[in-house]
Amino acid sequence: MKNYSRDYRRYATQPRGLTDEHTVRRVGLTLFNGFSLPEAALILEAFHCANARVKADGADGIRFDVSLLSVAGGKIASSSSVFVWTDSVDSPVHAGDFHALFVAGGVGVQDALRDNRLIAWLQRIQPHSQRIFPIDGGRLLLQAAGFHPGDSDPLQAALSLIGNDLGVEAARQIAQRLEQRLEDQSLAIVRKDTSIIVSDQIRASARWLEMNAYRPIAMEEVAQVASMSERNFLRRFKLEMGKTPSDYLLLVRLSRCCHLLAETDLPVDKVARRCGISSGGRLSKVLRKHLGVTPIEYRASRRKSTDSK
């Protein structure tokens, strides 16, 4: 997993303090049906933590006003079938400049690319947003709108914005809290056999695998994230993580399948495909191998456990 508490600092180049007379930073998070919830939730959590810190300090400091946006507004479904409420991008409330705008990714991005209203809005909003950051597949939407976004990690970008206004120490503490949350979200089987010391390059590649697990991935892509040759990357990843990148990716997908089995009523085949596993039959084989149960048995056991509490 990427070390955000250290790496965000290289993005935080602006001096601390107000850049104008206002104390509210308007941040937009653009969503669409089928967006990836975990990555978007981390961005939201970062700014929530920043606001909570300012409130706890009792200071009249910067406040981040974060808005969830979609073309039509209203209820939007994430790729894991969790619904969130959004404001329309055309709402008068959201007229004017954004301090930062994040554009979500996820399995629904291909449908979003065909939404001319969304692409047109991104084209219109660009001159009114100081910074625009894609979240993984959100890069495709920005490219369709004629932008060429940089390669900065969106969570690191959010932390750098916070650090610029609240200071390096505040951003570092928030990064540590988010890192702990990321760890807590993973199954023990994903972390099993991982070395205590993992290099930043391998952590970055593991995090990239986690964020892109829903789609087909070539090992050449991941090696590029780690800035290594494919051969050297495969060797280093196995040495430091205790498993091959392919095995790690499969376990990440299995972890997400377990979450959907426990939290939703989606058919097993649909759960598998949403998490990057080819079919329900394939998911059943993997689940039996690692946990000794079928998807139906796993779902039933989790429901029973929840009902008994």
Side-chain angles (χ1 to χ4, degrees):
M1 183 176 302
K2 197 160 189 176
N3 190 331
Y4 288 103
S5 59
R6 186 181 71 182
D7 288 355
Y8 86 90
R9 292 177 184 173
R10 60 195 178 100
Y11 293 94
T13 57
Q14 299 179 17
R16 181 184 176 184
L18 305 183
T19 57
D20 53 43
E21 61 183 0
H22 302 292
T23 59
V24 176
R25 298 287 192 245
R26 298 183 64 245
V27 177
L29 178 53
T30 308
L31 308 177
F32 46 82
N33 281 313
F35 77 93
S36 179
L37 181 61
E39 290 74 31
L42 280 175
I43 302 298
L44 289 172
E45 181 68 12
F47 289 114
H48 170 76
C49 290
N51 287 337
R53 181 181 179 89
V54 171
K55 184 176 181 180
D57 290 345
D60 295 327
I62 287 292
R63 177 173 64 85
F64 295 95
D65 182 11
V66 184
S67 301
L68 302 183
L69 307 170
S70 67
V71 170
K75 190 164 63 173
I76 293 293
S78 72
S79 59
S80 54
S81 297
V82 174
F83 291 90
V84 299
W85 190 264
T86 63
D87 295 331
S88 169
V89 294
D90 293 323
S91 170
V93 175
H94 301 297
D97 295 348
F98 281 103
H99 183 63
L101 180 69
F102 294 84
V103 181
V107 295
V109 72
Q110 293 301 324
D111 288 333
L113 283 169
R114 293 189 286 270
D115 190 336
N116 293 330
R117 298 173 301 170
L118 176 57
I119 302 302
W121 179 75
L122 288 172
Q123 292 172 333
R124 293 198 308 271
I125 200 64
Q126 191 271 343
H128 304 289
S129 297
Q130 296 180 36
R131 305 165 183 85
I132 300 181
F133 304 103
I135 304 175
D136 293 323
R139 180 179 305 275
L140 297 176
L141 292 169
L142 290 178
Q143 289 173 345
F147 305 154
H148 300 284
D151 295 327
S152 61
D153 183 299
L155 182 53
Q156 287 182 344
L159 290 169
S160 73
L161 293 173
I162 293 168
N164 287 340
D165 286 317
L166 303 187
V168 169
E169 180 61 21
R172 185 188 66 80
Q173 292 179 9
I174 291 170
Q176 288 180 331
R177 175 172 175 175
L178 295 178
E179 286 172 2
Q180 183 61 49
R181 175 159 297 192
L182 285 170
E183 283 288 339
D184 292 343
Q185 290 174 346
S186 302
L187 285 177
I189 56 174
V190 176
R191 299 191 300 269
K192 185 180 178 182
D193 299 328
T194 300
S195 170
I196 295 176
I197 301 175
V198 180
S199 66
D200 288 346
Q201 290 169 297
I202 297 303
R203 285 182 184 274
S205 65
R207 175 63 181 148
W208 189 90
L209 284 170
E210 294 164 11
M211 297 180 72
N212 290 273
Y214 63 88
R215 67 174 180 86
I217 292 175
M219 285 303 112
E220 182 181 1
E221 288 184 88
V222 204
Q224 290 176 355
V225 172
S227 300
M228 298 179 185
S229 69
E230 185 173 350
R231 182 178 180 181
N232 188 39
F233 167 70
L234 294 174
R235 180 185 64 82
R236 286 277 303 277
F237 194 102
K238 176 68 181 296
L239 180 66
E240 297 185 30
M241 299 299 291
K243 54 184 68 69
T244 67
S246 296
D247 286 342
Y248 186 87
L249 176 61
L250 180 60
L251 292 175
V252 169
R253 288 168 170 166
L254 178 59
S255 173
R256 295 187 176 184
C257 284
C258 288
H259 173 75
L260 288 185
L261 288 170
E263 302 296 332
T264 75
D265 293 316
L266 288 172
V268 172
D269 198 59
K270 185 170 288 188
V271 166
R273 292 197 303 272
R274 288 193 178 187
C275 298
I277 294 179
S278 57
S279 67
R282 172 66 173 155
L283 172 57
S284 183
K285 290 180 181 179
V286 175
L287 202 56
R288 276 184 176 276
K289 176 182 178 180
H290 291 280
L291 298 181
V293 295
T294 67
I296 300 300
E297 290 169 342
Y298 180 85
R299 172 173 274 165
S301 67
R302 289 299 303 270
R303 297 290 170 84
K304 183 177 180 180
S305 175
T306 301
D307 292 342
S308 64
K309 291 182 180 180

